[in-house]
Amino acid sequence: MLCELLFKKLCKNVRSKMECFKMVRIGIIGCGQISKFHYEGYAKAGAKIAHVCDLRPDVGRPVADRYGAKFSTDYRALIGDADVDLVAVLTTAASHREICLAAMAAGKGVVCEKTLSDTPAVSAEIARAAEQAGTFFATAYMKRFFPAAIQARKLLDGMGQIISVYARSFQPWNLWTAPLPQGFLEKPSHLVRNYGGGAVVCCGSHVVDLIHWLAGRPTRIAGQLHHPPGADFDIQANAMMWMEQGGVVHFETCWHPLKTIGLEHNGWDEKVEITTVTGRLEFSTVVWNNPVNPALLVHHDDASGKTVEYRYEAMNPFDAEMAEMVRRFEAGEKGLPSAWDGYVVDEILAAIVASARQNTLVEMKWRDRTPC
Ligand SMILES: NC(=O)c1ccc[n+]([C@@H]2O[C@H](COP(=O)([O-])OP(=O)(O)OC[C@H]3O[C@@H](n4cnc5c(N)ncnc54)[C@H](O)[C@@H]3O)[C@@H](O)[C@H]2O)c1
């Protein structure tokens, strides 16, 4: 009897130790251009790619084969798979609602690529569902994971009130003087169909997420958009935002024809400059899909007159993002940026577009606060 009890206890200990070392099992839904950064990041973080799904076997099956994972063309098969813990939703924005809600209903954790959806009402619905489900949910804005961005967030806490923010995302893609690529004059265009808009959504969303993370939420927004003649998508967006905690944000984003501007002289020119009552931070990012240089943070402290440059190893922010997702999921922590963070970005983007279209100042109404 005693032997049997001891044996059972030993088995229980071994089982719980094995549970501790169990790898997080990832399901990848959508194997397009962004997916590689997710599955490679998860694999580097020690997670197991367990199941891969894409409507197109020609793009999805090779990824599944690379990791010895299962493959499906129907996302419901992946979501119903007991061998998947955390689902990466890497399809285009219009499909995020259906897939995220189904994944949460099946009790899976979710990491959803930005933008959370293509309208703020839908993003708020996803965020509410995530809150109710209580499962792990994160919106993937990877630029928060540059070490320079994390240091900026830390320093800001001790820098007092924000006076002004200048945030810019200029990315090299000549849609100004070169003819538009084939199909770009279709309505809806490829960009609107897949991403919900042009530069303001594709490039601007990242910087809007950084603005929200570093400087809070706006109360009012005035925006303008520039569209190429005959096109339904913008290639330039500008906005002024008056912030709840004080300070004014000047935001601009565009695809532009210049090949040598920016920190790395390669046309990539993205930065957030924050002036507070005690000093200034300047955070500059590097090109997202093949970083060979580090993002840079410069901190000027007015009292001492000192300027400090924070330089880190060149790294891909996706690797840091996926490692943090795995760590938080394993630790039972909340997903960050959260679903509500993703919603806030989409509400701000929609306000910029509405302000530009109606030529008015938009007063912000947040759907996660009462009154709605
Ligand atoms: N973080 C970034 O810097 C960044 C950059 C580009 C794209 N994105 C975001 O990543 C997401 C995907 O963009 P992309 O450029 O990789 O798109 P993509 O069109 O290249 O890839 C999407 C893939 O999803 C598949 N798919 C679509 N619906 C599906 C469904 N219901 N079930 C299974 N598979 C489905 C498609 O067949 C396609 O292979 C978007 O939300 C986009 O905004 C983020």
Side-chain angles (χ1 to χ4, degrees):
M1 184 65 184
L2 184 63
C3 281
E4 196 180 324
L5 277 176
L6 282 173
F7 181 68
K8 275 190 182 153
K9 197 167 173 205
L10 182 71
C11 288
K12 201 171 156 201
N13 282 345
V14 169
R15 250 198 324 271
S16 75
K17 285 231 163 59
M18 282 169 71
E19 287 288 309
C20 285
F21 293 117
K22 201 173 78 180
M23 292 164 121
V24 177
R25 298 162 304 174
I26 309 289
I28 299 283
I29 304 181
C31 295
Q33 65 155 336
I34 207 63
S35 62
K36 157 179 196 285
F37 301 98
H38 285 254
Y39 56 71
E40 288 184 353
Y42 283 122
K44 284 180 206 166
K48 176 177 165 54
I49 310 299
H51 200 141
V52 173
C53 166
D54 198 290
L55 295 173
R56 296 175 47 201
D58 59 319
V59 297
R61 201 177 280 287
V63 179
D65 291 347
R66 174 171 169 188
Y67 292 104
K70 297 175 209 167
F71 174 72
S72 303
T73 51
D74 185 339
Y75 77 83
R76 285 166 294 199
L78 183 149
I79 279 166
D81 184 347
D83 291 334
V84 169
D85 306 309
L86 184 61
V87 175
V89 180
L90 312 177
T91 57
T92 43
S95 59
H96 289 177
R97 176 187 175 277
E98 180 183 326
I99 299 174
C100 289
L101 294 186
M104 285 186 266
K108 306 296 184 192
V110 176
V111 177
C112 181
E113 246 304 336
K114 67 93 196 174
T115 53
L116 185 51
S117 82
D118 49 7
T119 60
V122 170
S123 298
E125 186 190 348
I126 297 172
R128 258 181 238 113
E131 211 168 73
Q132 278 160 17
T135 44
F136 181 94
F137 195 106
T139 314
Y141 278 103
M142 83 290 192
K143 293 183 192 190
R144 289 193 190 194
F145 296 88
F146 279 116
I150 294 166
Q151 180 65 12
R153 180 56 274 170
K154 272 191 204 143
L155 288 170
L156 254 185
D157 287 338
M159 288 179 65
Q161 193 187 335
I162 292 174
I163 299 172
S164 157
V165 177
Y166 172 64
R168 164 170 87 210
S169 180
F170 276 26
Q171 301 188 9
W173 188 15
N174 187 6
L175 298 173
W176 291 81
T177 58
L180 291 182
Q182 204 177 2
F184 272 50
L185 287 175
E186 281 169 11
K187 308 259 172 30
S189 61
H190 161 78
L191 290 171
V192 169
R193 215 173 40 245
N194 284 349
Y195 304 113
V200 71
V201 175
C202 294
C203 326
S205 56
H206 286 288
V207 176
V208 167
D209 177 61
L210 292 173
I211 292 169
H212 166 227
W213 186 46
L214 297 170
R217 295 188 190 195
T219 57
R220 284 180 297 157
I221 292 183
Q224 80 87 36
L225 300 174
H226 173 76
H227 297 74
D232 67 355
F233 60 89
D234 60 282
I235 56 172
Q236 181 187 30
N238 296 69
M240 271 183 78
M241 305 179 199
W242 289 264
M243 306 306 280
E244 284 178 348
Q245 290 142 22
V248 176
V249 172
H250 305 251
F251 159 85
E252 53 178 341
T253 186
C254 78
W255 285 308
H256 65 81
L258 308 176
K259 295 188 186 69
T260 54
I261 60 168
L263 182 70
E264 300 177 276
H265 306 290
N266 58 2
W268 183 269
D269 187 21
E270 190 173 75
K271 74 187 302 189
V272 180
E273 178 191 287
I274 303 181
T275 304
T276 77
V277 289
T278 64
R280 173 175 284 171
L281 288 178
E282 285 178 62
F283 167 55
S284 306
T285 75
V286 287
V287 69
W288 64 280
N289 51 359
N290 185 24
V292 288
N293 292 302
L296 175 68
L297 177 68
V298 181
H299 173 216
H300 175 74
D301 175 62
D302 205 55
S304 63
K306 280 194 185 138
T307 298
V308 178
E309 289 193 1
Y310 292 84
R311 290 182 182 271
Y312 300 86
E313 296 273 303
M315 50 84 76
N316 192 315
F318 282 98
D319 290 346
E321 179 185 33
M322 298 322 147
E324 182 63 3
M325 295 297 168
V326 169
R327 189 198 69 72
R328 285 185 161 269
F329 183 81
E330 279 180 326
E333 294 176 16
K334 201 171 156 305
L336 283 176
S338 67
W340 283 117
D341 290 333
Y343 151 74
V344 169
V345 174
D346 295 344
E347 194 74 81
I348 293 173
L349 296 176
I352 295 172
V353 173
S355 169
R357 286 202 182 132
Q358 297 153 18
N359 199 20
T360 53
L361 199 64
V362 170
E363 301 285 341
M364 299 305 294
K365 292 191 183 73
W366 302 104
R367 292 161 217 252
D368 56 339
R369 293 177 182 172
T370 47
C372 193

